[in-house]
Amino acid sequence: MTTEMRKAYLLAAERAVQLLATEELARCWAKESVLPGMSVGGLAGHLARSVLQVEWFLDGQVVGAEPVSPVRYYARLVGTSVPDSALNVGVRARSEETAAAGPTVVAEQAQAAWQRLADRMGKEPADRRVAILHRPGEEMLLDGYLQTRCVELAVHLDDLALSVGVRCSAPEAALAFAVDVLVAAARERSGDRAVMHALARRERDVAQALRVL
């Protein structure tokens, strides 16, 4: 899966880089995005981090911990739908920190990181691990982490494009990886019966079993 996964990620990341460089985005930077409580700039910073963080994590120190799977990465999240949860407060803070540099710098940083990653991906071995810097001591296989970035890119390319009034979405390959991870995370979190109801009997979907993020 290594070549396919890395190609899908790079294509989706390239699309994010292109959106971050648009005039429409720069004009809307200070406005509220489609995500309540998050500015367009903050959302752009969050999207940019799905490019920037990959490089940061690749350069982090790994110690040989048991790698976390991409499914577990999402299945264990708590408070995803609560705006003031610790999870969402942390996400907004990190996003705004990145966005503080302004639209031009964020776009340039993401573009430069993407170019370095495009050169680097083919040189990293299939068993390459990365350090999850916001969860000290945790590691993931690079391809597993890239699968989580496909989720973030697929979800937030859509959010940001809608926020600034342009048409842009993740490539089909990245969308497929994202859906695979999210459905598997829903199954781990809620169980197959609940997921079956969410898919086929929505009137019985009392737990909103497919809502992972």
Side-chain angles (χ1 to χ4, degrees):
M1 186 179 73
T2 295
T3 300
E4 183 183 359
M5 177 72 260
R6 296 180 186 184
K7 181 179 179 181
Y9 166 76
L10 286 170
L11 287 173
E14 182 180 26
R15 200 158 292 183
V17 166
Q18 292 168 346
L19 178 55
L20 290 168
T22 61
E23 293 181 4
E24 292 88 347
L25 178 67
R27 285 199 301 267
C28 296
W29 194 259
K31 296 180 179 179
E32 186 173 14
S33 74
V34 295
L35 301 183
M38 200 169 199
S39 68
V40 168
L43 180 54
H46 187 58
L47 182 67
R49 290 176 71 91
S50 281
V51 183
L52 301 173
Q53 276 186 185
V54 174
E55 190 171 42
W56 299 341
F57 286 14
L58 275 167
D59 292 336
Q61 184 176 3
V62 294
V63 295
E66 183 67 22
V68 176
S69 74
V71 173
R72 184 62 184 157
Y73 183 91
Y74 283 115
R76 67 183 176 181
L77 294 181
V78 176
T80 55
S81 60
V82 180
D84 294 327
S85 67
L87 172 69
N88 285 323
V89 169
V91 166
R92 289 196 298 271
R94 291 189 294 272
S95 300
E96 292 293 348
E97 181 182 356
T98 300
T104 300
V105 173
V106 170
E108 290 173 349
Q109 289 175 339
Q111 171 69 29
W114 178 83
Q115 288 177 326
R116 290 189 295 268
L117 288 170
D119 178 64
R120 189 171 182 177
M121 284 299 172
K123 302 173 183 177
E124 298 291 351
D127 61 353
R128 179 65 152 91
R129 295 185 181 203
V130 298
I132 308 304
L133 299 181
H134 59 278
R135 291 181 175 269
E138 286 197 3
E139 298 173 12
M140 295 183 73
L141 291 171
L142 173 59
D143 286 358
Y145 184 65
L146 294 181
Q147 200 163 357
T148 72
R149 296 311 89 191
C150 283
V151 172
E152 299 296 326
L153 288 164
V155 171
H156 296 304
L157 272 167
D158 189 65
D159 290 335
L160 191 56
L162 187 58
S163 295
V164 301
V166 300
R167 296 188 64 180
C168 184
S169 61
E172 289 297 323
L175 285 169
F177 279 120
V179 170
D180 284 349
V181 170
L182 291 174
V183 171
R187 293 178 69 186
E188 180 170 322
R189 180 187 290 177
S190 301
D192 283 353
R193 182 178 177 83
V195 170
M196 183 272 290
H197 284 159
L199 289 168
R201 291 293 182 267
R202 282 179 290 174
E203 67 276 11
R204 301 176 201 166
D205 179 26
V206 295
Q208 290 191 304
L210 286 176
R211 179 67 185 265
V212 176
L213 296 176

